[in-house]
Every structure is written in structure tokens, then in C-alpha cells.
């Protein structure tokens, strides 16, 4: 086939022995592709049939599109239902793989986490990328003990613990199961604010300490007694004595925000 027409391959040295129209040659030039005169009319008919086929396909697609347009409202409802079913199936599949379950939701100021695990670490462990399973996290905060201070050496898991708490709280408030054991209770937070990571910027002339300071100031301005505040490496990036004083002031404010206000 050349240009949609049937041809025969003829050695270039014998080209004159085959009457017809040449429609190309091989890469080496040793072969010429010739459309014999005897099949020229049949090739033209095939080309017309191909055009008729394209026109018929276009007609059918137009008819189907018109029929779908008439049912667009029903199709939109079907699409919404399929999206919900697909999301539910995805949640159920992930919950089974991660051994996740729905926590108890409460209006009380009690945050009880039992055997909490970060979803990404659970996924990596399930795919065999981690040698050991993630260590579960237990903690409890309530009105009498609204704050938890975590100290320890570098690479001890403090940042991972803070991210785990925040992510599991967001999953629970979204109505999704979380990788945690039974007895986990999550209250409804009016907002979740955090300062995790380094937002140093040379373009904005922002140092590590200043970036932390701005995020902490944002947390203090937005936090209420029903907020979840996550601060990582509080008071870091400056002199240890001054950073410790700053950390004490911030922790004191967050412990009794209504008194400081």
C-alpha cells in the first residue's frame, strides 16, 4: 500500500516492463512501487469507498452526540453517582490495605490517638520499601491537658509525629478512615494551623528564624481553644537561650489563649 493505493514492488532495472504509475521507491532505490494500469480504476473505487466510510462514521457520531445531548441531564447525574461510587470504592480499598477504620468523632475537647500511623509510611511498608513497620503513635489531649511538648535528639521522629497527628485529624474531619486502633477519638477542630519545615527565602530576604517567627505569629493570631496547633522546632534558628524564652512564651500563650487575649 502506498498513499492508500495497492501497488506492486518492481526492481528498478525492470521498471519499464510494468506499465503503470510509480508511487514511490524503497530506501535504497533498488525497488520501485508501481500501480499497474489494470488496477488503477479499482484503486480509485476503493478510495471513494473509504471516503464514503468516513462520511458514514461522521454521521453515526453526530447522531450519537445528538442522542447524548438530549439526555445530558441524566448523564450528568449518572456521572456524579459514578464518581461517588468510585471514591467510595477507593476509600474502602485503601482502608482495607492500610487497616484503617473510622474514629469516634466528638464535640468534646478530647483528642485521643491510639496506634496512629502515617498513611505514607503505611503504604511504603506495604510495598516493602521499609525494613521495619512504622511505630504506632499514642497521645491524648483534653481540656485539662491541652498541650503536648515533645523533645529529643535529631532524627527521633518528632516531625513525623506532628505530621501524623495533623494528617489523621484532617482525614477524620473529612469523614475518612484513618490508620489507627480502636478507641481513637477526634474532636471537631475549627482550624488546623502548623509551622512545619523551613520557608527560608533569599528572594524575600527571609531567614530561617524569621520564617518560623511569621508562621508562629500566624498561629497565635488564628488559634482558638478549639484549634489544633502544630509547631515543629519551636524557637530554632536563633540563639538557644533566646529561642528557649520564645518557646516558653508561645507555649504559655497556647496553653491559656483566653487568658492571654
Amino acid at each position: 500500500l502506498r498513499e492508500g493505493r495497492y501497488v506492486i514492488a518492481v526492481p528498478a532495472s525492470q521498471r519499464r516492463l510494468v506499465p503503470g504509475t510509480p508511487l514511490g521507491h524503497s530506501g535504497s532505490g533498488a525497488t520501485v512501487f508501481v500501480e499497474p494500469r489494470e488496477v488503477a480504476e479499482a484503486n480509485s473505487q476503493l478510495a471513494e469507498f473509504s471516503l464514503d466510510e468516513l462520511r458514514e462514521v461522521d454521521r453515526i457520531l453526530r447522531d450519537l452526540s445528538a442522542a447524548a445531548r438530549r439526555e445530558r441531564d441524566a448523564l450528568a447525574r449518572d456521572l456524579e453517582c459514578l464518581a461517588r461510587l468510585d471514591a467510595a470504592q477507593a476509600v474502602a480499598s485503601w482502608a482495607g490495605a492500610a487497616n484503617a477504620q473510622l474514629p469516634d468523632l466528638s464535640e468534646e475537647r478530647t483528642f485521643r490517638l491510639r496506634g496512629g500511623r502515617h498513611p505514607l509510611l503505611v503504604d511504603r511498608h506495604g510495598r516493602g520499601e521499609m525494613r521495619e513497620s512504622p511505630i504506632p503513635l499514642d497521645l491524648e489531649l483534653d481540656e485539662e491537658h491541652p498541650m503536648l511538648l515533645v523533645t529529643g535528639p535529631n532524627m527521633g521522629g518528632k516531625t513525623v509525629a506532628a505530621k501524623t497527628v495533623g494528617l489523621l485529624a484532617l482525614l477524620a474531619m473529612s469523614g475518612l478512615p484513618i490508620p489507627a486502633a480502636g478507641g481513637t477519638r477526634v474532636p471537631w477542630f475549627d482550624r488546623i494551623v502548623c509551622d512545619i519545615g523551613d520557608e527560608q527565602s533569599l528572594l524575600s530576604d527571609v531567614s530561617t528564624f524569621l520564617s518560623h517567627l511569621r508562621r508562629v505569629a500566624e498561629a497565635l493570631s488564628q488559634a482558638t481553644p478549639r484549634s489544633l496547633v502544630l509547631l515543629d522546632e519551636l524557637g530554632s534558628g536563633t540563639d538557644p537561650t533566646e529561642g528557649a524564652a520564645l518557646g516558653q512564651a508561645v507555649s504559655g500563650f497556647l496553653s491559656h489563649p483566653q487568658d492571654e487575649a
Side-chain angles (χ1 to χ4, degrees):
L1 277 174
R2 285 293 183 273
E3 301 178 11
R5 305 177 74 86
Y6 286 95
V7 297
I8 58 176
V10 179
S13 59
Q14 302 180 20
R15 161 69 185 86
R16 296 183 179 276
L17 300 180
V18 182
T21 304
L23 294 180
H25 54 77
S26 63
S28 63
T31 303
V32 180
F33 301 107
V34 181
E35 180 188 44
R37 293 176 182 174
E38 292 81 0
V39 300
E41 183 177 354
N43 274 339
S44 297
Q45 291 180 348
L46 285 176
E48 292 180 4
F49 292 154
S50 296
L51 291 176
D52 291 340
E53 180 185 10
L54 292 177
R55 284 191 289 266
E56 182 64 13
V57 170
D58 182 70
R59 184 192 66 79
I60 293 174
L61 292 178
R62 288 179 180 273
D63 290 345
L64 291 175
S65 298
R69 188 181 301 110
R70 291 191 296 269
E71 303 294 338
R72 60 182 179 273
D73 293 337
L75 291 174
R77 291 192 298 269
D78 291 345
L79 179 61
E80 182 179 358
C81 292
L82 287 174
R84 291 179 177 272
L85 290 173
D86 184 63
Q89 173 64 27
V91 170
S93 176
W94 174 78
N99 195 22
Q101 56 185 305
L102 291 173
D104 296 330
L105 300 179
S106 173
E107 291 292 337
E108 302 177 357
R109 291 181 57 191
T110 299
F111 187 10
R112 184 185 304 115
L113 188 59
R114 295 288 182 265
R117 296 161 295 149
H118 195 291
L120 292 181
L121 298 183
V122 173
D123 180 62
R124 288 181 57 192
H125 174 68
R127 288 184 281 121
E129 297 181 6
M130 297 180 62
R131 296 181 180 179
E132 299 179 357
S133 60
I135 299 176
L137 176 64
D138 293 333
L139 65 86
E140 185 168 350
L141 300 173
D142 52 32
E143 294 187 6
E144 296 183 0
H145 305 90
M147 178 180 296
L148 176 64
L149 297 179
V150 182
T151 63
N154 292 333
M155 300 181 65
K158 299 185 298 297
T159 300
V160 173
K163 291 183 176 181
T164 301
V165 170
L167 182 56
L168 296 188
L170 288 173
L171 287 173
M173 293 172 61
S174 301
L176 298 174
I178 62 175
T184 297
R185 171 172 291 188
V186 180
W188 181 262
F189 297 108
D190 57 0
R191 59 176 53 85
I192 298 178
V193 294
C194 62
D195 173 28
I196 300 178
D198 186 2
E199 292 191 357
Q200 181 187 30
S201 174
L202 295 178
L203 296 177
S204 302
D205 193 24
V206 176
S207 65
T208 299
F209 177 66
L210 182 56
S211 67
H212 279 298
L213 206 59
R214 287 181 174 177
R215 295 299 298 272
V216 170
E218 179 184 358
L220 296 180
S221 63
Q222 295 186 5
T224 71
R226 299 197 64 84
S227 300
L228 176 62
V229 180
L230 303 171
L231 302 179
D232 186 35
E233 297 187 1
L234 182 60
S236 64
T238 186
D239 178 85
T241 303
E242 297 178 356
L246 176 63
Q248 289 178 342
V250 172
S251 60
F253 180 91
L254 294 176
S255 297
H256 304 88
Q258 65 275 11
D259 298 339
E260 299 294 335

